[in-house]
Amino acid sequence: MPATFNHTIIAAKDREQSARFFRELLEVPEAPSWGPFVNIQLSDGVLLQFAEPPVEIQMQHYAFLLDDDLFDRACQRLRDGGVVHWADPQMRRPGEINHEHGGRGVYFKDPAGHAIELITRPYL
């Protein structure tokens, strides 16, 4: 079997809030959770496990590849929710999206302060 990405733990200030934020944004159903984790599972089977570590959370970057329709709905959810977003990772173009790599992209911060990117075309 070739190597595939299976799961990651995402540090959260409030694991329930972060999992709900991503479930609603990415339109994925609830997944079984256990122990210190609140889980969501993406359509390709990748499990995102949200946990509240007993340390200061360091910002991480997570990028999600979406189809055009889901991207449109997700951007509308960001606007409706008052989530500040940018066209660039340097946060110099607020309220915009980009049209790079033959698609569209947007950057924003999740409830824990992680830098999130949504794109409609992969970089490679």
Side-chain angles (χ1 to χ4, degrees):
M1 170 196 306
T4 59
F5 189 72
N6 181 262
H7 71 277
T8 192
I9 298 169
I10 299 176
K13 294 175 185 173
D14 179 327
R15 62 189 180 171
E16 294 284 347
Q17 178 190 29
S18 288
R20 184 175 48 255
F21 176 83
F22 281 97
R23 265 196 326 268
E24 292 172 1
L25 184 69
L26 302 176
E27 299 179 0
V28 296
E30 291 189 39
S33 297
W34 56 85
F37 306 112
V38 176
N39 302 321
I40 68 170
Q41 190 166 31
L42 304 179
S43 62
D44 61 357
V46 171
L47 189 65
L48 303 181
Q49 299 185 287
F50 297 89
E52 298 166 11
V55 297
E56 183 178 338
I57 295 173
Q58 297 297 310
M59 183 187 77
Q60 298 292 312
H61 173 72
Y62 300 97
F64 296 90
L65 178 63
L66 311 179
D67 67 27
D68 287 306
D69 292 334
L70 181 53
F71 182 88
D72 290 337
R73 292 190 304 273
C75 284
Q76 187 61 51
R77 282 188 191 90
L78 293 174
R79 287 190 292 275
D80 291 348
V83 177
V84 178
H85 61 280
W86 302 270
D88 61 313
Q90 297 81 18
M91 299 179 232
R92 295 185 193 137
R93 296 172 50 201
E96 298 179 40
I97 64 169
N98 68 58
H99 297 275
E100 298 171 8
H101 304 282
R104 296 180 291 157
V106 67
Y107 296 83
F108 58 95
K109 300 269 181 98
D110 80 348
H114 297 299
I116 308 302
E117 179 180 8
L118 304 179
I119 55 175
T120 61
R121 300 293 179 274
Y123 289 172
L124 299 177

